[in-house]
Amino acid sequence: MTPIPPSTTWTVRAVGVVNSGRTEPVDDDWDRIPATITLLPPYDQEAIVGLDAFSHLEVVYLFDRVEPDDVHTGARVPRGNPEWPAVGIFAQRAKNRPNRLGVSTCELIGVSGTTISVRGLDAIDGTPVLDIKPY
């Protein structure tokens, strides 16, 4: 296998945007928060035909409000709780990840036009959605 040089980059574009009443990245209670994902052009209803046959979705999104200088690459105490041990960034769900990517498995509530209604998506209002997969 040929190794990938550490300087290799890829370009991704948002396929949608999160619409939610939650505007701050709070750590808890995401399972109670309804949200929608609205597709962005050129994606239209055809891109999500059949999606409503599933109960859950995996949503990949960008933590776009995390500053690159705030990214963690080593160990840290999750949620800043001193009673918990420090663990590596890949052993937690922190938003300050090396590529600032988030993934949520959330309940699919419904699909209407180019809008997908979900519950349990731990992304705040205006978050760019990079991919949506049925689960």
Side-chain angles (χ1 to χ4, degrees), residues 110-134:
V111 176
S112 178
T114 57
T115 300
I116 304 163
S117 298
V118 298
R119 183 175 293 114
L121 175 60
D122 55 347
I124 61 177
D125 191 60
T127 297
V129 173
L130 304 178
D131 205 351
I132 303 162
K133 298 181 180 196

Side-chain angles (χ1 to χ4, degrees), residues 61-63 71-72 90 95-102 130:
Y61 50 92
L62 180 68
F63 290 118
V71 166
H72 292 279
F90 298 127
K95 65 185 176 303
N96 300 54
R97 313 185 69 70
N99 284 311
R100 301 182 302 154
L101 294 178
L130 304 178

Side-chain angles (χ1 to χ4, degrees), residues 84-97:
W84 294 349
V87 295
I89 192 65
F90 298 127
Q92 55 186 287
R93 297 184 54 84
K95 65 185 176 303
N96 300 54
R97 313 185 69 70

Side-chain angles (χ1 to χ4, degrees), residues 49-116:
V49 168
L51 190 65
D52 59 352
F54 293 87
S55 64
H56 290 76
L57 302 176
E58 291 178 333
V59 180
V60 180
Y61 50 92
L62 180 68
F63 290 118
D64 62 316
R65 280 156 259 187
V66 172
E67 295 295 329
D69 289 343
D70 293 337
V71 166
H72 292 279
T73 58
R76 63 185 278 280
V77 175
R79 299 185 182 187
N81 187 334
E83 295 181 17
W84 294 349
V87 295
I89 192 65
F90 298 127
Q92 55 186 287
R93 297 184 54 84
K95 65 185 176 303
N96 300 54
R97 313 185 69 70
N99 284 311
R100 301 182 302 154
L101 294 178
V103 178
S104 286
T105 301
C106 52
E107 180 184 3
L108 175 60
I109 304 302
V111 176
S112 178
T114 57
T115 300
I116 304 163

Side-chain angles (χ1 to χ4, degrees), residues 21-42:
R22 189 167 267 185
T23 58
E24 296 295 324
V26 180
D27 284 329
D28 295 313
D29 300 322
W30 292 100
D31 58 326
R32 293 187 275 187
I33 305 296
T36 60
I37 299 167
T38 303
L39 295 182
L40 297 171

Side-chain angles (χ1 to χ4, degrees), residues 3-25:
I4 298 171
S7 62
T8 301
T9 61
W10 290 268
T11 300
V12 295
R13 290 182 175 75
V15 299
V17 64
V18 173
N19 302 289
S20 171
R22 189 167 267 185
T23 58
E24 296 295 324

